[in-house]
């Protein structure tokens, strides 16, 4: 019996050690929240939803993976997440959805790898957008889960902050701001240039901690640009119609005036020319005949 107890203890110890090593052995995102003490403490401290991004170490030229996790998210329906990074230290390679979400009724949209030197706004690519939508709501099984893994290539040395922000975080139509952290990728190698995280962003985002808050945007959203373009087009159409209508009114007035002139009776020129000196001459001729007879 004692031998069996010792065997069971050894098996339990081995199983516990295996669970602790699972994040390293698997290399996937799904094990981060199972053993990350910072993430677990954030979940346990309060019932507020938690949006967490991991940290990592790398050297210039290495490929590094970062995990995004969520906690206290039972009832979550949709959200828009942005991760900002220093583009002089990290180069974005792609995003992979976790197996936890891919096997459920969750639709995900993420930034694709940008092959050019600039993003759609003309800036150096420096942020990753992730959109989540559940057809109903996150069940209890997804109360603590991983969203997915972001892959970077380290291109410059230094400490690169990873600022994660929830542009929206909805629970059955009610938006609740999650508690977030700031991740970091520590890259060994030649020091890279710094990056102003507040200077350029493609969306109006707010970080609850305030240290990395972005209160304004340097560029209009696509929706606003479309609305402004449609408004300008509508104004131009109205102006063109008003001008065309004005021309039609003027043309109608000119046409009526021309019609009145054309229909007006001709001036009686012959009547004024009729009374000439001929009648006078005919009256004088008889007088001359009488004088000759006398």
């Amino acid at each position: 019996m004692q031998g069996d107890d010792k065997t069971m203890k050894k098996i339990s110890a081995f199983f516990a050690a295996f669970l602790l090593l699972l994040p390293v052995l698997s290399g996937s995102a799904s094990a981060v929240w199972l053993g990350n003490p910072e993430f677990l403490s954030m979940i346990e401290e309060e019932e507020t939803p938690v949006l967490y991004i991991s940290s990592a170490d790398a050297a210039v030229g290495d490929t590094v993976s970062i995990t995004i996790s969520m906690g206290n998210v039972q009832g979550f329906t949709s959200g828009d997440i942005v991760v900002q990074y220093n583009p002089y230290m990290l180069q974005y390679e792609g995003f992979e959805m976790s197996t936890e979400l891919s096997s459920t009724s969750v639709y995900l949209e993420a930034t694709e790898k940008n092959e050019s030197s600039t993003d759609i706004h003309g800036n150096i690519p420096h942020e990753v957008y992730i959109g989540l939508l559940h057809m109903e709501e996150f069940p209890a099984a997804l109360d603590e889960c991983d969203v997915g893994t972001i892959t970077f290539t380290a291109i410059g040395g230094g400490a690169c902050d990873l600022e994660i922000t929830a542009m929206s975080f909805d629970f059955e139509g009610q938006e609740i701001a999650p508690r977030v952290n700031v991740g970091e990728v520590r890259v060994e190698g030649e020091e890279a240039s710094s990056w102003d995280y507040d200077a350029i962003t493609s969306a109006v985002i707010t970080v609850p901690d305030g240290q990395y808050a972005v209160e304004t945007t340097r560029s209009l959203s696509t929706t606003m640009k479309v609305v402004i373009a449609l408004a300008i087009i509508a104004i131009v159409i109205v102006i063109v119609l008003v001008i065309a209508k004005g021309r039609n009114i003027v043309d109608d007035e000119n046409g009526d005036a021309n019609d009145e002139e054309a229909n007006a009776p001709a001036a009686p020129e012959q009547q004024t020319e009729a009374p000439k000196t001929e009648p006078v001459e005919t009256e004088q001729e008889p007088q001359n005949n009488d004088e000759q007879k006398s």
Side-chain angles (χ1 to χ4, degrees):
M1 293 296 293
Q2 291 181 352
D4 293 339
D5 292 340
K6 289 181 180 179
T7 302
M8 291 299 298
K9 288 181 180 179
K10 289 182 180 180
I11 293 174
S12 300
F14 175 79
F15 184 71
F18 178 77
L19 286 178
L20 292 176
L21 291 174
L22 186 58
V24 178
L25 295 176
S26 65
S28 65
S30 60
V32 171
W33 62 268
L34 292 176
N36 189 296
E38 182 182 12
F39 180 57
L40 292 175
S41 64
M42 290 175 65
I43 295 174
E44 294 173 356
E45 286 177 3
E46 50 188 316
E47 296 180 356
T48 302
V50 172
L51 184 59
Y52 184 86
I53 187 167
S54 64
S55 299
D57 295 312
V60 173
D62 290 349
T63 299
V64 58
S65 295
I66 300 298
T67 301
I68 298 176
S69 306
M70 299 194 302
N72 296 334
V73 290
Q74 182 177 352
F76 175 82
T77 52
S78 64
D80 296 290
I81 302 168
V82 171
V83 176
Q84 295 192 77
Y85 58 92
N86 185 338
Y88 300 121
M89 295 183 183
L90 298 178
Q91 176 178 292
Y92 176 68
E93 297 297 342
F95 176 84
E96 183 178 358
M97 188 178 185
S98 70
T99 55
E100 297 164 85
L101 297 190
S102 61
S103 60
T104 59
S105 301
V106 176
Y107 291 86
L108 183 142
E109 179 185 0
T111 300
E112 297 180 357
K113 182 180 178 181
N114 196 317
E115 300 294 344
S116 64
S117 58
T118 59
D119 61 12
I120 60 175
H121 305 284
N123 305 316
I124 300 174
H126 62 280
E127 62 186 16
V128 182
Y129 166 80
I130 302 167
L132 294 171
L133 174 64
H134 197 287
M135 295 306 295
E136 295 179 358
E137 62 180 41
F138 273 36
L142 293 178
D143 189 43
E144 297 173 4
C145 62
D146 293 327
V147 178
T149 303
I150 303 176
T151 303
F152 294 103
T153 297
I155 58 175
C160 178
D161 286 341
L162 301 173
E163 300 178 12
I164 187 168
T165 305
M167 297 170 58
S168 65
F169 219 70
D170 295 334
F171 289 77
E172 297 181 352
Q174 180 182 4
E175 186 164 337
I176 301 176
R179 183 182 173 190
V180 301
N181 72 310
V182 177
E184 185 180 58
V185 177
R186 297 166 291 272
V187 183
E188 294 183 3
E190 185 177 353
E191 198 76 14
S193 300
S194 60
W195 177 257
D196 187 354
Y197 286 78
D198 293 344
I200 305 173
T201 180
S202 64
V204 179
I205 60 177
T206 303
V207 180
D209 292 340
Q211 182 179 359
Y212 299 98
V214 181
E215 299 177 354
T216 58
T217 178
R218 298 292 176 140
S219 61
L220 295 174
S221 64
T222 303
T223 303
M224 287 301 299
K225 291 179 180 178
V226 172
V227 171
I228 292 174
L230 292 176
I232 293 174
I233 294 173
I235 292 172
V236 171
I237 292 175
V238 170
I239 293 174
V240 171
L241 292 176
V242 170
I243 294 174
K245 186 176 180 180
R247 289 180 177 176
N248 291 335
I249 293 173
V250 173
D251 292 340
D252 292 341
E253 292 178 351
N254 292 336
D256 293 340
N258 293 333
D259 292 340
E260 291 177 357
E261 292 179 358
N263 296 329
E269 296 178 355
Q270 297 178 353
Q271 295 178 2
T272 54
E273 294 178 355
K276 294 182 180 179
T277 55
E278 294 179 355
V280 176
E281 293 178 355
T282 54
E283 291 178 356
Q284 291 178 356
E285 288 179 357
Q287 293 179 357
N288 293 333
N289 294 331
D290 294 339
E291 290 177 357
Q292 292 176 356
K293 291 179 180 179
S294 58

